Amino acid sequence: MHSPIHIGILHSQEGPMAPNELLLIKAALLAVDEINEKGGLLGRRVKAHIPEWLSDAESFEKAASSLLRQIKPCALFGCWTSSSRKAVKRVVEQQNSLLWYPVQYEGLEQSPNVVYTGSCMNQQIAPAVEWALSTGKRRFALVGSDYVFPRTANKLVTSMLAMTDAHVVYEKYKPLDCKDFSSLITDLRESRPDIIINTVNGIGNIYFFEQMYRAGMQEQGITLSMSCTEDLYSKYSYSPKGHLACWGYFQSLDNPDNRSFLRKLASAGIFVSSDPIATAYSQVLLWASVVERIGSFDHVDVRNNLAGSGINCPLGRLEIRPNQHVLRNGLIGRCDEHGQFDVLWQSDGPIEPLPWLGIEQTDLPFKGLLLQVLNQLPQDITMRAQLETEVLARKAMATALEKTIRRLSESEEIAKIGGFERNLESGEGYWSDTLFHILGESPGKLRPSLREFTRHLLEEDRQDFVRAISKSVRSATELNCRCRIRRADGKIRHVQVRNVVLFDEHGCASHYHGTVMDITDQVLIEDALKANEERMRLLAQTDALTGLLNRRRFLELVTKEIERSDRYALPFTLIMFDVDKFKLVNDTYGHDVGDKVLKSISERAKEVAREVDIVGRLGGEEFAIALPQTGMDGAIAVAERLRATVEDHVITIQNHALHCTISLGVAAMTGCINNADGLLKAADLAVYRAKKEGRNRVERMIPDDFASACALTESNQ
């Protein structure tokens, strides 16, 4: 009999995440048993190895290294926290192995040695925020565990809200092992949020929600959780009915693969499933399907054949994309009294994984630099949180100068922050070695002084800084400002200066001290995030293929223009058109050619339209142009010009000339047709008539169209 094939499964046995990870390991072993019951893989049984006593990132790293060195498994599966994943990622990259990671995460990462089968932020956080906004939520509270996923996820939430009239009214993070949320709940009550985005992880959710319930804040639909799963809801001492969650899977999904999976779980004594559990099970079967297809266990062969691989599983269709993330559905569910979720909303289909928030798909200049900077964002967010805590600790201990200097020195070694101190009576000062290095000077070369520091400031920042630090010393208030320095080598860097004034026993200001932190990388990250915010704003308003306004933004602008036209008694018309026999184009030439046709026609529409006109793609091959201050005759003329332009335009496909035509319908705002729905209905009926009369023609609204549109308007009111 052939020797077995080895795999490794990594999970915590201690700490707040251990209960969650235990269910993941059972699900993975269930998949291994299923493979072996069917005869194994390529005639060999699969044997799983599970290292013991894993608890922190260091133990995960050591266990993975030991497994790969001694057992030489074909693949590793597991990890829950980002810290454990990152620790194992270093090992598999060094030894060119493969880790399959089954949990949602903060993105901003892509390794050829990791398959990310959980959701990234644009597949979970972004749909959750968009849904909340669509239901009228405007006051957001952000509550999470104090580690990288919640902090990074909430950066995205804040970025998305900045493009709307919504805002964050409260933001707080608690340690992973936190059991007391009382002060947080008090602050939540005072902030009066419409929605709480919850990224508390593990069993901390049980304490958080039970304390919310006792505080009388168990309002249905106010809490939308990103990391709370069915197995946790089943442990609550009260009914969790009404809680909301966003995942790519719920146990309640009704499909054949999920029903079969739940029966297998039940036979193993597990009666509650969740997204991570189903993913941990499915990713083992996905790995096995790749092995079977290519006829090789070698992790290099497997890695080279990952893109496009997929299986049908409890999650639906799980397919690996070229970036080694997977297509995932987006679901919003409401918990019932049994801890199961009724689906309130689901995405139109699988959401493409964008671990870099879409920047990787752009042609932005210096894209490589932006991705490199964004890769550091999770680490920088963690470090920044640590530094914030450190600064607060320093202020509390600032009564003893030498103790403060010691703490500054310790912090400098960890965070590369330069420290300074000045005696206001004697004028004597001190700079740490790190501060000299930040300025590009050799320690001890210069006499530490405010004048020497300001000499390194850019001239345009110098006056504001001197004014700010003088005010800080004069009024005994804390200074916190940003400025730019020119190092001795000529390089320009961004720094953040913080200053605290100390008092003697008589209450008089005697010293001031503080820190200078090089934040150049942080500024680059902020600039990159601003650029991405602008790109996300455009993505939210435009059609990705044609660059025209998408249906939602088109209707928003049309509604505003209709109101203005009605207010000033101005004419307003709308042209609706679609491509004749477009399905035949797709079936004959393929969807790539179909996309080229749609882009070509959208260009013709933009050429014909005026600057004030509103041009949008409503969906599929359907387009519309809204014409403010234009009557029916003018709109007919524009429609005829567009029809002729499209008919005359030649699209070259593989040395063949392709001619396309469009059918157009024109409707005017009149009488009860005084909204976007009515205009679209009337124009659509005219398009239908143009199709019926032979295509490649323009039809105007007739009385029957008017009556149908009016009926639609009345039914919507």
Side-chain angles (χ1 to χ4, degrees):
M1 185 173 182
H2 293 298
S3 59
I5 287 298
H6 302 281
I7 63 171
I9 301 178
L10 305 172
H11 82 107
S12 295
Q13 286 88 13
E14 298 177 353
M17 307 281 45
N20 306 72
E21 297 193 49
L22 180 61
L23 292 173
L24 267 68
I25 193 171
K26 290 181 177 180
L29 292 175
L30 195 63
V32 171
D33 291 341
E34 184 175 329
I35 293 168
N36 289 332
E37 287 170 5
K38 295 179 180 179
L41 280 178
L42 306 182
R44 299 168 67 176
R45 290 181 58 80
V46 178
K47 182 176 181 179
H49 298 264
I50 307 170
E52 295 182 349
W53 312 118
L54 302 187
S55 58
D56 55 15
E58 183 179 1
S59 61
F60 271 83
E61 184 173 5
K62 289 180 179 178
S65 180
S66 176
L67 272 177
L68 292 173
R69 186 174 58 254
Q70 298 176 12
I71 307 299
K72 295 181 173 54
C74 297
L76 299 177
F77 299 85
C79 302
W80 180 288
T81 65
S82 290
S83 58
S84 63
R85 183 194 72 251
K86 288 180 179 295
V88 175
K89 172 176 168 286
R90 288 193 294 269
V91 176
V92 295
E93 286 177 343
Q94 290 168 0
Q95 302 198 30
N96 198 25
S97 187
L98 199 58
L99 168 68
W100 295 69
Y101 181 69
V103 185
Q104 96 275 39
Y105 85 116
E106 68 278 359
L108 307 180
E109 180 180 301
Q110 185 175 334
S111 170
N113 299 92
V114 181
V115 184
Y116 306 84
T117 56
S119 301
C120 53
M121 284 198 292
N122 80 292
Q123 295 171 309
Q124 186 190 28
I125 303 298
V129 174
E130 290 175 357
W131 177 84
L133 290 170
S134 73
T135 58
K137 304 299 187 290
R138 290 299 178 267
R139 295 174 59 84
F140 283 67
L142 310 178
V143 176
S145 298
D146 193 9
Y147 82 110
V148 64
F149 172 75
R151 285 184 174 271
T152 308
N154 288 337
K155 285 287 185 184
L156 175 60
V157 174
T158 305
S159 172
M160 294 180 69
L161 296 186
M163 297 180 288
T164 72
D165 60 347
H167 60 285
V168 174
V169 297
Y170 181 70
E171 184 172 359
K172 188 70 175 179
Y173 302 93
K174 287 287 190 177
L176 277 170
D177 57 354
C178 179
K179 297 181 180 179
D180 182 7
F181 291 84
S182 56
S183 62
L184 181 150
I185 292 171
T186 299
D187 293 338
L188 268 179
R189 188 196 302 276
E190 293 176 357
S191 66
R192 295 180 293 105
D194 296 328
I195 186 81
I196 301 169
I197 302 296
N198 171 36
T199 48
V200 172
N201 237 38
I203 59 175
N205 281 290
I206 297 175
Y207 300 104
F208 173 50
F209 282 129
E210 290 188 346
Q211 290 167 39
M212 286 271 285
Y213 178 79
R214 290 198 297 270
M217 290 190 66
Q218 180 65 10
E219 297 178 41
Q220 292 212 1
I222 193 174
T223 306
L224 177 54
S225 297
M226 303 294 131
S227 302
C228 198
T229 53
E230 289 94 332
D231 50 307
L232 283 172
Y233 281 112
S234 66
K235 296 180 174 67
Y236 290 170
S237 59
Y238 69 97
S239 171
K241 184 177 180 180
H243 283 288
L244 303 173
C246 181
W247 288 99
Y249 164 93
F250 291 122
Q251 179 176 343
S252 57
L253 291 183
D254 187 17
N255 64 62
D257 292 299
N258 190 41
R259 290 195 295 271
S260 174
F261 170 59
L262 294 177
R263 286 194 297 270
K264 292 170 185 175
L265 279 181
S267 66
I270 304 172
F271 301 97
V272 182
S273 183
S274 68
D275 186 301
I277 293 172
T279 306
Y281 164 85
S282 300
Q283 70 172 11
V284 175
L285 299 182
L286 180 55
W287 163 77
S289 74
V290 178
V291 169
E292 287 280 10
R293 177 169 57 83
I294 66 175
S296 172
F297 297 99
D298 184 77
H299 50 263
V300 176
D301 292 338
V302 171
R303 193 171 69 237
N304 291 338
N305 287 275
L306 287 173
S309 299
I311 60 169
N312 294 322
C313 64
L315 306 167
R317 178 70 180 172
L318 196 63
E319 180 180 322
I320 304 175
R321 308 302 287 162
N323 58 11
Q324 290 190 193
H325 293 67
V326 299
L327 292 170
R328 293 294 304 252
N329 294 313
L331 304 170
I332 304 287
R334 176 183 284 121
C335 194
D336 63 21
E337 62 269 22
H338 305 296
Q340 294 298 312
F341 285 87
D342 298 320
V343 176
L344 300 180
W345 171 90
Q346 62 184 11
S347 57
D348 292 336
I351 302 172
E352 191 74 23
L354 300 175
W356 303 98
L357 302 176
I359 287 181
E360 68 269 39
Q361 295 186 343
T362 68
D363 294 319
L364 290 171
F366 310 111
K367 181 171 73 174
L369 174 61
L370 290 176
L371 294 178
Q372 183 179 356
V373 169
L374 284 174
N375 184 51
Q376 295 299 315
L377 179 59
Q379 296 93 314
D380 290 345
I381 288 174
T382 303
M383 177 61 74
R384 184 173 181 178
Q386 293 171 348
L387 290 174
E388 289 171 357
T389 303
E390 186 67 23
V391 168
L392 291 174
R394 288 178 189 165
K395 289 178 66 176
M397 301 175 66
T399 54
L401 180 60
E402 289 193 5
K403 179 182 282 188
T404 302
I405 292 175
R406 273 201 310 274
R407 290 191 62 80
L408 284 169
S409 298
E410 293 170 1
S411 298
E412 287 171 7
E413 294 178 6
I414 298 171
K416 298 180 180 179
I417 300 176
F420 62 85
E421 182 267 334
R422 179 157 305 282
N423 186 310
L424 292 174
E425 295 180 3
S426 67
E428 293 182 356
Y430 161 82
W431 286 359
S432 70
D433 289 351
T434 305
L435 179 51
F436 278 101
H437 293 151
I438 288 173
L439 297 174
E441 303 285 3
S442 300
K445 179 181 177 182
L446 303 175
R447 183 175 180 271
S449 69
L450 179 60
R451 176 174 295 182
E452 280 295 343
F453 181 78
T454 56
R455 184 176 64 82
H456 284 79
L457 293 174
L458 295 192
E459 185 174 351
E460 50 267 41
D461 292 357
R462 191 173 298 151
Q463 186 175 357
D464 288 342
F465 174 79
V466 171
R467 187 183 299 114
I469 197 166
S470 298
K471 179 181 178 182
S472 169
V473 174
R474 186 172 61 253
S475 59
T477 55
E478 183 178 346
L479 168 72
N480 184 356
C481 70
R482 290 184 176 188
C483 48
R484 293 166 295 171
I485 62 169
R486 190 183 302 277
R487 288 168 41 93
D489 58 11
K491 295 180 179 178
I492 296 175
R493 307 289 290 179
H494 295 260
V495 296
Q496 184 163 16
V497 183
R498 295 190 176 193
N499 179 66
V500 176
V501 179
L502 304 178
F503 302 89
D504 60 20
E505 63 273 17
H506 304 294
C508 298
S510 61
H511 297 76
Y512 69 78
H513 75 160
T515 60
V516 178
M517 179 180 180
D518 188 328
I519 59 169
T520 305
D521 290 343
Q522 178 182 328
V523 171
L524 285 173
I525 291 170
E526 291 172 353
D527 290 345
L529 285 173
K530 287 178 183 176
N532 190 52
E533 286 174 9
E534 176 62 19
R535 180 179 175 275
M536 290 179 68
R537 183 185 67 80
L538 291 175
L539 285 175
Q541 296 182 355
T542 57
D543 171 57
L545 176 65
T546 65
L548 299 179
L549 296 175
N550 60 25
R551 185 185 186 92
R552 185 178 66 180
R553 184 58 176 163
F554 176 82
L555 292 176
E556 287 175 358
L557 294 180
V558 166
T559 298
K560 290 180 180 178
E561 193 59 41
I562 287 175
E563 291 172 354
R564 193 178 75 88
S565 298
D566 187 53
R567 188 164 56 248
Y568 296 105
L570 298 171
F572 186 85
T573 47
L574 184 142
I575 302 170
M576 190 172 179
F577 60 95
D578 66 14
V579 186
D580 293 332
K581 300 182 179 180
F582 184 68
K583 183 177 184 302
L584 181 61
V585 173
N586 274 336
D587 292 345
T588 304
Y589 299 100
H591 288 280
D592 288 343
V593 173
D595 288 348
K596 188 172 182 180
V597 167
L598 294 178
K599 286 192 281 188
S600 173
I601 289 175
S602 69
E603 289 299 321
R604 309 289 80 73
K606 285 188 282 188
E607 290 173 4
V608 169
R610 302 167 301 175
E611 187 173 345
V612 297
D613 295 338
I614 306 168
V615 187
R617 182 185 178 194
L618 303 182
E621 69 271 26
E622 199 170 57
F623 300 82
I625 304 175
L627 304 160
Q629 302 181 41
T630 304
M632 178 62 80
D633 291 341
I636 291 291
V638 173
E640 284 289 358
R641 189 158 66 251
L642 175 58
R643 184 202 61 75
T645 301
V646 172
E647 182 182 26
D648 293 341
H649 185 71
V650 178
I651 303 172
T652 304
I653 306 296
Q654 300 174 349
N655 298 323
H656 294 289
L658 177 62
H659 290 269
C660 289
T661 62
I662 57 176
S663 295
L664 307 93
V666 184
M669 185 179 74
T670 178
C672 61
I673 304 181
N674 57 2
N675 59 32
D677 288 339
L679 275 170
L680 286 174
K681 177 64 175 178
D684 187 43
L685 290 170
V687 170
Y688 176 79
R689 200 163 50 257
K691 294 277 190 184
K692 188 175 180 182
E693 294 296 326
R695 300 185 180 90
N696 190 24
R697 61 186 289 119
V698 177
E699 288 287 337
R700 69 171 68 204
M701 178 177 70
I702 62 174
D704 285 348
D705 302 338
F706 178 84
S708 297
C710 284
L712 175 66
T713 300
E714 292 171 358
S715 67
N716 288 338
Q717 290 178 343

